[in-house]
Amino acid sequence: MASTIKSRLKEGLPYPIGATWDGKGVNFALFSANATKVELCLFDAQGETELERVVLPEYTDQIFHGWLPDIGPGQVYGYRVHGPYEPDAGHRFNPTKLLLDPYARAHVGELTWDPALFGYAIGHKDEDLSFDERDSAPFMPKSVVVDPDFDWRGQPRRNPVPWDRAILYETHVRGYTMLHPKVPERLRGTYAGLGHKAVVDYIKSIGVTSVELLPIHSFVNDDHLLQKKLVNYWGYNTIGFFAPQQRYAADRANCLREFKEMVSRFHDAGLEVILDVVYNHTAEGNERGPTLSFKGVDNASYYRLPPDQKRFYVNDTGTGNTVNLSHPRVIQMVTDSLRYWVNETHVDGFRFDLGTILAREPNGFDNQSGFLKACSQDPVLETVKLIAEPWDCGPGGYQVGAFPPGWSEWNDKFRNVVRDFWRGEARAGEIAPRLLASPAEFDHQGRKPWASVNFVTAHDGFTLNDVVSYNDKHNEANGEENRDGADDNRSFNHGSEGPTDDAEINRVRDRQIRNMLATLLLSQGCPMALAGDEFGRTQQGNNNAYCQDDEISWVDWSSGERGLALIRFFARVTALRQRFPILRRGRFLTDAYNEELDIKELTWVNAAGGEMQEGDWGGAQCFGLMLDGRAQPTGIRKRGEDATILMIFNAWSDVVEFVLPSQGGADQHWTLMIDTNLPTADLEKEDKTFRFGQTYAVTGRSFLMLALVPDDVAKT
């Protein structure tokens, strides 16, 4: 076989980068600006025995390449890359280390931690300046050639949900179905399980539109976690930007196909799939980390290194290394990866972990960085949702509102102020701009309100149930003596730490959950809910469950009557958001009087039913926000014809007698849509109407929404 393969080896092409099957053979192309030779290693189907080693014959524009006949999908391979081992110059080539292809579409096998994985000799007096000669292949996962063909059964590539209608729902592929009673046990925790009809039907039923998945790119379990019998559950430790995580597949041999099938099932239901992606760092760590892929292919190109100390790594991510998004080939790799997931798997968007890193240049954050420019002009990427986590731990890393047009951003200011308001630590003046999509941060350069992705909870931190049930974190299960995780949770247990039998405390907690869900889902901007918050999921006070692949992190579906009541509330609120366009305007609303249209788009209302005055803002814990349905809907200067909405926020601990304001004709009435103190079922049975000027007793710590529906709108 060896002589046959070598004798039939062709030069191949330097593009596309990666391993590409053309029906007759496979073209292999690998970028390295500093390597001297690349060996392609072919393995058996299990990735255990090396069958052949071939030197890629050509080097064109910093791409090593070659074409091999008569091999195809399922072929297992890896690379050995030769070059200088000069850590002080930024080079860490070591051909005894088998490397994953940075462009591999699939991986086979698991990483087994062993000293042979490291390019240097662990324990040597010269530390990482030493050179290790052991073969790492027995301990490495391998790359796999894939067949990209998939029958989408005539399904269009994507059917995007308009931003104004989008409601994001963050979840974890494995954790969402591990305990799901309607998913067959063999499918739980897998792509097939998440795409199960019972799961998709439920997600559709609660009114969300877009499922945002924690990382599904191939990632590595950290050795220090495995030693403590823990794992990297969240997956923010990527080693393959093109390969789906194989442990999430019920059929590992067909992992990519299973992922595509899951996406197809969501699209059949009209739901989007958004991927949380981690292009800011890799699993290779710092100078003491293993050599698994990028470090051995071209360390000096793939990573940011201090110019005067290239042995070390810039660590703006807090993980040991930072991907070098100033290098054109690295920009190409990331954008190629993004386009691959859109074109080949039909995903609908991305959330970028530590997104500020992607916009860093050597001089710091730059919203005109090479990567951001590449995205802005890309005809594929401009059609999908791009969402940044706009912070990192490097200098100048907090950049909420600073991303360019075309991007949306997680808005932690919304989270912080909403939590503070409902626990009585913030006043009306602080929460007001957050209800309007934080215009000071996002209303510039034609950006829309949905540039602000509002959230109260996410994977990182307390669940919503725990926000109202714990004053302090309880992360003992993480094995770090409760030192990990944030201490500033802006939470309030309402009188008892954790679960309690006190009926009144439980009533207040559930009302507070409803208050924050309503605030989230009915504010201007794009809302994102954390999966399970809609029925009161708990992590037992753990606010950093990144390493808990167990009942702490898994969604518990045995929520009982309490959970069903919360689900019913959640579904009602999402339906109201879709029903009333004034709640999801494509323009930033203001309280300025529009003389031409003779309306105010919004009015802040005090408890006496009048307009809020300057002196009301400082101490107010109860106030109203009236959104006029006649507000100009688009750039065309004409009145809207939508319902007018009144929302009342009472974070005070006692009842407030609130006078309902007037608007429009004197014979119109407000119709109660939400009162978080009332069972949702009561509001669904019959309309509760109230006259202008009538006083409503707003329960302490509660939220109201009322609608003034024009006759023609009511009939529709």
Side-chain angles (χ1 to χ4, degrees):
M1 173 182 176
S3 60
T4 302
I5 286 287
K6 288 182 177 178
S7 65
R8 299 176 66 188
L9 174 66
K10 302 294 184 181
E11 297 83 356
L13 297 170
Y15 54 84
I17 301 176
T20 307
W21 179 56
D22 62 10
K24 297 180 180 179
V26 177
N27 190 81
F28 293 91
L30 178 72
F31 157 75
S32 182
N34 296 290
T36 57
K37 181 173 73 171
V38 172
E39 293 178 299
L40 169 68
C41 303
L42 303 179
F43 289 82
D44 64 5
Q46 291 72 43
E48 296 174 354
T49 303
E50 184 174 333
L51 304 175
E52 178 64 33
R53 193 177 297 190
V54 180
V55 175
L56 293 184
E58 284 290 344
Y59 187 56
T60 305
D61 297 332
Q62 301 182 329
I63 307 290
F64 290 86
H65 56 94
W67 181 87
L68 288 177
D70 303 324
I71 62 173
Q75 177 64 59
V76 178
Y77 71 100
Y79 289 118
R80 297 183 189 274
V81 180
H82 297 251
Y85 189 83
E86 300 172 359
D88 283 331
H91 302 309
R92 295 179 178 272
F93 295 101
N94 186 334
T96 69
K97 309 308 168 187
L98 188 80
L99 305 175
L100 289 166
D101 180 356
Y103 273 69
R105 267 53 170 180
H107 293 167
V108 63
E110 295 285 349
L111 183 78
T112 302
W113 285 99
D114 186 271
L117 294 171
F118 296 78
Y120 65 97
I122 294 177
H124 193 282
K125 64 181 179 61
D126 293 331
E127 300 180 317
D128 63 293
L129 298 178
S130 63
F131 187 84
D132 186 89
E133 297 182 352
R134 286 170 288 190
D135 183 6
S136 68
F139 312 102
M140 279 289 295
K142 313 299 189 298
S143 304
V144 185
V145 178
V146 303
D147 180 356
D149 287 346
F150 180 79
D151 182 7
W152 292 96
R153 298 184 301 279
Q155 188 182 83
R157 177 161 293 178
R158 290 183 299 106
N159 188 19
V161 174
W163 263 115
D164 70 302
R165 289 190 173 273
I167 301 174
L168 311 184
Y169 187 68
E170 189 193 38
T171 192
H172 188 284
V173 169
R174 179 169 167 83
Y176 198 71
T177 63
M178 281 300 293
L179 300 175
H180 201 296
K182 294 184 179 179
V183 175
E185 191 167 346
R186 65 182 179 84
L187 299 182
R188 293 178 185 175
T190 69
Y191 303 122
L194 192 62
H196 190 275
K197 186 177 187 302
V199 176
V200 175
D201 287 351
Y202 167 77
I203 294 173
K204 182 72 173 179
S205 74
I206 62 174
V208 299
T209 68
S210 310
V211 179
E212 183 176 308
L213 300 177
L214 266 67
I216 59 87
H217 288 174
S218 185
F219 63 86
V220 169
N221 275 318
D222 311 71
D223 187 33
H224 74 275
L225 291 176
L226 294 175
Q227 290 179 17
K228 293 190 290 186
K229 301 188 184 305
L230 299 170
V231 298
N232 189 320
Y233 172 71
W234 285 350
Y236 293 92
N237 204 27
T238 304
I239 197 59
F241 297 119
F242 294 79
Q245 178 65 348
Q246 59 176 326
R247 76 188 70 165
Y248 294 159
D251 179 6
R252 290 194 175 196
N254 291 290
C255 180
L256 178 60
R257 182 173 297 276
E258 185 176 322
F259 178 82
K260 291 180 178 180
E261 186 68 32
M262 179 202 73
V263 174
S264 180
R265 297 287 71 76
F266 278 112
H267 284 181
D268 283 345
L271 297 167
E272 291 184 314
V273 176
I274 294 173
L275 301 184
D276 193 334
V277 289
V278 189
Y279 295 110
N280 58 80
H281 75 280
T282 78
E284 292 185 301
N286 60 17
E287 68 276 4
R288 297 175 183 270
T291 297
L292 309 176
S293 181
F294 313 93
K295 186 179 288 185
V297 171
D298 193 347
N299 184 70
S301 294
Y302 277 110
Y303 294 114
R304 289 196 186 279
L305 310 176
D308 55 345
Q309 290 185 304
K310 293 186 177 180
R311 172 185 174 185
F312 304 106
Y313 294 77
V314 172
N315 187 22
D316 290 333
T317 64
T319 65
N321 65 55
T322 302
V323 173
N324 181 17
L325 265 297
S326 294
H327 194 291
R329 287 295 187 184
V330 181
I331 292 176
Q332 179 187 0
M333 179 191 70
V334 174
T335 52
D336 281 351
S337 169
L338 294 169
R339 283 188 294 268
Y340 172 77
W341 290 99
V342 175
N343 289 333
E344 292 296 333
T345 75
H346 293 193
V347 301
D348 302 282
F350 305 93
R351 178 265 187 188
F352 294 81
D353 179 62
L354 301 184
T356 309
I357 292 289
L358 307 180
R360 281 191 179 275
E361 297 292 1
N363 61 337
F365 176 83
D366 183 351
N367 71 0
Q368 293 299 308
S369 71
F371 173 73
L372 293 181
K373 286 179 178 177
C375 289
S376 68
Q377 60 77 49
D378 192 288
V380 173
L381 300 183
E382 71 176 359
T383 68
V384 300
K385 292 179 170 67
L386 302 178
I387 304 168
E389 181 184 37
W391 51 78
D392 63 43
C393 66
Y398 187 78
Q399 295 291 338
V400 171
F403 274 71
W407 285 77
S408 293
E409 304 172 38
W410 274 24
N411 184 358
D412 65 332
K413 295 182 179 182
F414 182 94
R415 174 197 63 197
N416 294 345
V417 172
V418 169
R419 287 191 187 188
D420 278 348
F421 177 78
W422 286 112
R423 69 188 180 112
E425 296 295 326
R427 301 297 183 259
E430 296 169 77
I431 196 174
R434 307 305 160 207
L435 305 176
L436 301 178
S438 300
E441 287 76 18
F442 295 103
D443 187 9
H444 58 86
Q445 296 181 286
R447 300 184 78 183
K448 298 295 188 179
W450 48 77
S452 173
V453 174
N454 302 327
F455 66 104
V456 180
T457 55
H459 67 275
D460 187 2
F462 279 154
T463 66
L464 191 51
N465 178 86
D466 292 357
V467 168
V468 302
S469 302
Y470 294 90
N471 285 346
D472 303 301
K473 65 184 182 185
H474 295 270
N475 297 354
E476 291 80 6
N478 295 357
E480 300 181 43
E481 299 180 344
N482 206 34
R483 293 189 301 269
D484 64 302
D487 293 313
D488 181 18
N489 294 293
R490 301 170 189 260
S491 59
F492 179 38
N493 67 18
H494 298 89
S496 180
E497 188 75 352
T500 180
D501 293 328
D502 188 304
E504 180 54 29
I505 289 177
N506 286 329
R507 275 194 292 272
V508 174
R509 286 177 175 177
D510 282 359
R511 193 160 67 244
Q512 290 282 57
I513 288 174
R514 292 191 291 270
N515 292 339
M516 284 187 271
L517 286 175
T519 305
L520 169 67
L521 294 167
L522 300 177
S523 292
Q524 303 293 308
C526 177
M528 183 190 78
L530 175 64
D533 276 356
E534 75 274 13
F535 53 77
R537 182 177 79 89
T538 180
Q539 288 184 170
Q540 304 164 36
N542 193 318
N543 74 351
N544 190 35
Y546 76 103
C547 57
Q548 299 296 331
D549 187 10
D550 55 24
E551 287 80 359
I552 291 175
S553 295
W554 299 343
V555 174
D556 182 0
W557 295 91
S558 59
S559 56
E561 289 300 318
R562 177 211 180 212
L564 291 174
L566 286 172
I567 290 171
R568 193 168 188 173
F569 174 82
F570 186 93
R572 178 174 176 82
V573 180
T574 58
L576 290 172
R577 179 179 179 85
Q578 301 294 9
R579 177 182 173 188
F580 297 117
I582 192 66
L583 295 170
R584 44 184 176 83
R585 270 291 194 259
R587 298 174 58 252
F588 285 90
L589 300 174
T590 75
D591 58 3
Y593 174 67
N594 185 324
E595 185 173 357
E596 180 181 350
L597 301 182
D598 189 27
I599 57 170
K600 290 186 68 173
E601 295 179 332
L602 66 89
T603 303
W604 302 103
V605 183
N606 59 32
E611 187 167 353
M612 292 274 283
Q613 302 301 309
E614 186 174 347
D616 295 334
W617 289 102
Q621 288 184 275
C622 181
F623 69 99
L625 169 59
M626 185 164 63
L627 303 175
D628 195 322
R630 300 169 298 174
Q632 180 180 328
T634 68
I636 299 173
R637 299 187 67 78
K638 68 175 184 178
R639 284 188 175 190
E641 298 178 346
D642 304 322
T644 291
I645 298 296
L646 172 65
M647 291 179 278
I648 299 173
F649 305 79
N650 183 17
W652 180 240
S653 58
D654 205 349
V655 173
V656 172
E657 300 292 336
F658 203 102
V659 178
L660 302 180
S662 60
Q663 197 266 4
D667 58 342
Q668 297 187 70
H669 294 75
W670 290 108
T671 299
L672 183 65
M673 298 292 173
I674 298 172
D675 182 341
T676 57
N677 189 50
L678 297 177
T680 303
D682 288 358
L683 296 174
E684 293 173 340
K685 289 177 183 176
E686 59 178 335
D687 288 343
K688 298 180 182 294
T689 60
F690 301 88
R691 301 184 307 278
F692 291 166
Q694 187 171 343
T695 298
Y696 192 110
V698 183
T699 304
R701 298 194 178 103
S702 70
F703 171 95
L704 270 64
M705 173 182 153
L706 303 98
L708 186 64
V709 185
D711 289 342
D712 55 343
V713 175
K715 291 174 183 177
T716 61

